[in-house]
Amino acid sequence: MIQKEEYKQARDTVNEYEKQLDLSVVSGSTCWILRRTTDDLIFVTTDEDYAKRQYETGDYVIRKSKIFDPL
């Protein structure tokens, strides 16, 4: 079981990451959504070259999209 201090430390770490995650910086950017057909792993990238390399392996289905900040 997680101890109270460990929980506080983890929560502080998450808060710091959330502060760094400023979606307004990337809002409106083009992204690629990839789904691996073997195990349905889904991820998003803004790196077009990387997305194309993954797609060319034949293991992924790819969709082009835009990042949206709902706030």
Side-chain angles (χ1 to χ4, degrees):
M1 185 167 156
I2 190 169
Q3 300 298 313
K4 186 175 182 177
E5 285 304 312
E6 291 173 317
Y7 174 78
K8 284 182 177 180
Q9 184 178 8
R11 189 68 229 150
D12 290 343
T13 301
V14 169
N15 286 338
E16 285 302 311
Y17 284 136
E18 286 174 346
K19 286 178 191 173
Q20 295 174 29
L21 186 63
D22 182 3
L23 290 179
S24 66
V25 172
V26 294
S27 186
S29 298
T30 300
C31 66
W32 289 264
I33 304 166
L34 291 101
R35 181 180 61 85
R36 190 165 49 203
T37 57
T38 56
D39 61 2
D40 288 332
L41 172 82
I42 297 173
F43 68 95
V44 177
T45 184
T46 57
D47 185 339
E48 181 178 11
D49 292 333
Y50 178 75
K52 287 181 178 180
R53 285 194 311 272
Q54 294 303 311
Y55 178 71
E56 289 170 356
T57 66
D59 293 334
Y60 291 88
V61 176
I62 189 172
R63 300 281 292 196
K64 185 176 179 180
S65 188
K66 293 275 186 187
I67 294 178
F68 171 67
D69 182 5
L71 302 176

